[in-house]
Amino acid sequence: MIAIVLIGLAAGAASALMFASIISGALISLLLFYLAPLPLMVAALGWGPLAATIGGIAAACGLGLIFGLPYCIAFAITVAVPAWWLGHLALLGRPLPVVASEDGSAPAAIQLEWYPVGRILLWIAGFAALTTIAAMLTLGGDVEAITGVLRRGLTRILAPRGTTPSQDIERWVTALAIIAPAAATIVAMMTLTLNLWLAGKITATSGRLKRPWPDLRSAELPPMTLVALSVALAFCFIGGLAAMFSQIVATALMMAYGLTGFAVLHTLTLALKSRIFWLCCTYAIVVAFGWPVLAMIALGLADAIFGLRPRYLRGKPPPLPAS
């Protein structure tokens, strides 16, 4: 128990320092800020959710005492709670029913069914939407107020000091203010996913991961996710705060389908001889340009509707190499 407390406190201190580094304004602090959940996730996966709970509470209280209540609340919502809950879900398992053998021999060891990766991905989308909505509400109570704050902030960044913004800059500011909530949702979604994957790799490499590494190629979202996405898209056209929040939710769910699209791609390319090359090219293109992720979203949606992976595996069962 003492070891768990010490590990939790150390993880909380590291996470709080990484979160607070954004105050310095240095470029490296942005990377540290986005990786702030990582220490708590490592503690959760390697030493249990209790370690992450202790570290998260200690870090939030420390930030509150030093920098004030807003930093405490922001850390708790964006870092501590997602790290603790995702770590808890990743270690959640239940025993499969034991089938008695016909020859009367001793039953095999109890097998565990672990919490599905697709449902963890859905929780990540929920946290990304929640944190983005909370961030937008700190800017104002209606769309005009939120957009106005975003426009003024972007104008200070893009326009030279002491000059009147040109029409081109104003057009850029208007466009960026419109897409800012969706962009913030994408960033939150990708950083939480990356942090959980890195935490899993770190704990697995150190031998502390208490569950087998999941088959990421089989990740799929629950069927009702399509219904939720359809409802969110429908509410995007009603206007006001409801439309803005619906756009945030729809963006998070589409990014979740984009990640399952990569899982589909890993499955459909199993038979290719130059598979690694094509996968690397795909990842490089998506990272470099961004917009090709729309193809991955379409692939994930197509798999959810038409079952591309089961059809492929039934029609052409390939050997399943590690990916």
Side-chain angles (χ1 to χ4, degrees):
M1 184 63 185
I2 295 178
I4 291 176
V5 172
L6 293 177
I7 291 294
L9 292 176
S15 187
L17 288 173
M18 295 167 73
F19 181 84
S21 67
I22 195 68
I23 300 175
S24 68
L27 186 60
I28 188 64
S29 66
L30 190 61
L31 175 62
L32 295 174
F33 175 79
Y34 285 132
L35 291 177
L38 182 59
L40 290 177
M41 286 184 177
V42 171
L45 293 178
W47 287 266
L50 179 60
T53 303
I54 294 172
I57 293 174
C61 293
L63 287 172
L65 290 173
I66 298 173
F67 299 106
L69 185 59
Y71 279 87
C72 173
I73 297 175
F75 179 85
I77 293 176
T78 61
V79 177
V81 173
W84 162 73
W85 185 245
L86 294 176
H88 166 71
L89 292 179
L91 298 180
L92 198 60
R94 62 183 179 184
L96 293 171
V98 178
V99 179
S101 57
E102 297 179 357
D103 57 1
S105 60
I110 296 177
Q111 300 293 322
L112 292 178
E113 179 186 14
W114 297 98
Y115 197 78
V117 175
R119 292 184 180 273
I120 294 177
L121 194 58
L122 189 59
W123 275 103
I124 292 175
F127 278 122
L130 175 63
T131 55
T132 306
I133 290 173
M136 293 299 109
L137 287 176
T138 62
L139 303 180
D142 53 64
V143 176
E144 290 75 15
I146 294 172
T147 304
V149 173
L150 291 173
R151 284 174 56 87
R152 288 192 294 272
L154 291 169
T155 301
R156 285 196 298 268
I157 295 173
L158 297 178
R161 292 184 178 181
T163 61
T164 303
S166 64
Q167 291 184 351
D168 289 338
I169 291 180
E170 289 183 351
R171 283 194 292 267
W172 272 105
V173 166
T174 301
L176 290 175
I178 293 173
I179 66 173
T185 306
I186 293 173
V187 172
M189 180 81 186
M190 299 311 298
T191 52
L192 277 177
T193 304
L194 178 62
N195 277 299
L196 185 59
W197 182 83
L198 284 174
K201 283 294 184 182
I202 291 171
T203 50
T205 302
S206 64
R208 297 288 313 184
L209 187 62
K210 300 179 180 180
R211 61 162 293 172
W213 189 259
D215 181 13
L216 299 180
R217 288 196 305 265
S218 64
E220 59 180 1
L221 298 172
M224 288 301 294
T225 309
L226 272 177
V227 178
L229 177 59
S230 301
V231 172
L233 289 174
F235 276 91
C236 289
F237 300 96
I238 64 175
L241 273 180
M244 175 180 284
F245 294 164
S246 297
Q247 292 167 8
I248 291 172
V249 173
T251 301
L253 293 178
M254 285 193 290
M255 286 306 300
Y257 276 112
L259 292 174
T260 60
F262 283 105
V264 176
L265 184 66
H266 275 258
T267 301
L268 300 184
T269 56
L270 284 172
L272 293 179
K273 293 182 179 180
S274 54
R275 177 172 179 264
I276 301 299
F277 171 76
W278 291 112
L279 289 176
C280 290
C281 287
T282 302
Y283 280 103
I285 291 172
V286 171
V287 171
F289 298 101
W291 64 263
V293 75
L294 295 175
M296 294 297 102
I297 295 173
L299 189 58
L301 289 170
D303 178 72
I305 297 171
F306 302 110
L308 299 181
R309 281 176 288 184
R311 289 171 180 265
Y312 175 80
L313 294 175
R314 282 198 304 267
K316 190 177 181 180
L320 300 179
S323 63

